[in-house]
Amino acid sequence: MRANVAALVLVLGTVSCGGGEAPGPTSPTPTVTGLAISSSMDLLKINQSGTFAVTATMSNGSTATVTATWRSENAAVATVDANGRVTGIGSGETAISAESNGVRATPRTIRVLPDYHGRWTGDWRIAGCTADGDWGRTDICREVPVGSLLPFALALTQDRDNASGNVTLDDVAGPVQGPIRPGGQLSLAGAFSSTDQGIVLDATIADWETTTTDNQRLTGRFVLVFRAAGLQGSVRFDGELRVVAKTAAAPLTATGGELRLRRALTAAIRR
């Protein structure tokens, strides 16, 4: 009996002198409850890149940077790599999305458009000539025949999806401006006057539609209309851009030689 009492005392002593208090419950590991894509960009030019970031809201209310899986809805417009770097490929719009731990962020829409900023030079072709009123009684469409090639220069400043600058069509020059459409086409318009040998010529540029897919070569068409004080009617030239490239060089001389468009108009009026 005495031995049993001694054993019980030994057990109780061991329990009371153990490792202290039992550990409390551990906090659960925070999980991702929401994702948000952050970027100051909503527009890129073709071949331009920018990096998107993703921030996670955690279950404990904190925020953290997490590794995400990125995706572009239209890789022909823009691509995105594993680090969120977005690169413009072609004109249009696409949604950029990110996903982490089964949570998907609200996609961000990015627009991609060409880079028209800079100086373009080359030549343009007269694809049509129509004269009416007093102009119809001149020989202007014989002086400036269809198929004539004339020097071309265009200097533009681009602000997001708008462009403005100056165009030179042989010896006719003036300001132009206009928007870049969702498909990437540039629409320009302008109206200006010039005087040659005492004759005031009013020029209007309309129906301008040009585009570039690589920021280096420009194609398109436009309409150039002339009127003159004291004359009824007008003469209209339909123009096509032939070989136009982005360059810092001086305007190219047209393959067919210099026609001097303004001088031809003045000469036609005087005759």
Side-chain angles (χ1 to χ4, degrees):
M1 179 67 179
R2 189 174 293 174
N4 291 339
V5 171
L8 179 60
V9 171
L10 179 63
V11 170
L12 292 174
T14 301
V15 172
S16 63
C17 297
E21 296 181 359
T26 59
S27 300
T29 301
T31 58
V32 177
T33 58
L35 285 180
I37 298 174
S38 60
S39 173
S40 60
M41 298 179 303
D42 60 357
L43 183 149
L44 283 173
K45 294 179 180 179
I46 293 174
N47 297 331
Q48 183 184 25
S49 297
T51 300
F52 283 18
V54 62
T55 302
T57 300
M58 312 303 291
S59 55
N60 62 0
S62 65
T63 59
T65 300
V66 295
T67 300
T69 300
W70 294 89
R71 181 172 183 267
S72 170
E73 296 296 329
N74 189 345
V77 172
T79 59
V80 59
D81 65 14
N83 298 314
R85 185 173 176 81
V86 179
T87 301
I89 303 299
S91 298
E93 288 187 349
T94 186
I96 303 297
S97 60
E99 185 173 336
S100 180
N101 297 304
V103 179
R104 189 168 185 263
T106 300
R108 291 288 297 270
T109 298
I110 187 82
R111 180 183 176 189
V112 178
L113 43 75
D115 182 7
Y116 290 104
H117 188 97
R119 183 177 178 83
W120 303 82
T121 61
D123 57 24
W124 62 288
R125 172 181 176 271
I126 294 180
C129 177
T130 306
D132 59 22
D134 293 335
W135 286 94
R137 291 189 286 275
T138 71
D139 58 356
I140 186 60
C141 289
R142 289 190 295 273
E143 293 285 340
V144 188
V146 171
S148 298
L149 298 179
L150 305 171
F152 173 92
L154 178 65
L156 290 176
T157 298
Q158 182 172 334
D159 181 13
R160 290 180 59 83
D161 57 353
N162 286 278
S164 61
N166 285 276
V167 65
T168 301
L169 304 169
D170 193 32
D171 60 348
V172 177
V176 289
Q177 63 179 352
I180 301 170
R181 297 177 185 171
Q185 302 92 341
L186 174 63
S187 297
L188 293 176
F192 44 90
S193 299
S194 62
T195 303
D196 186 66
Q197 300 179 41
I199 296 177
V200 178
L201 294 171
D202 296 321
T204 302
I205 292 177
D207 295 336
W208 184 296
E209 184 174 296
T210 54
T211 188
T212 178
T213 58
D214 60 3
N215 301 333
Q216 297 300 319
R217 310 289 287 185
L218 195 66
T219 60
R221 58 177 176 77
F222 59 90
V223 171
L224 178 61
V225 177
F226 287 97
R227 294 178 175 83
L231 269 67
Q232 297 296 317
S234 62
V235 57
R236 164 180 167 149
F237 296 105
D238 295 287
E240 293 178 351
L241 298 186
R242 183 175 167 272
V243 179
V244 177
K246 184 176 286 189
T247 175
L252 301 176
T253 300
T255 307
E258 290 190 357
L259 181 64
R260 303 290 85 179
L261 179 58
R262 189 175 60 179
R263 290 298 177 89
L265 292 164
T266 302
I269 293 172
R270 287 191 177 279
R271 283 196 293 268

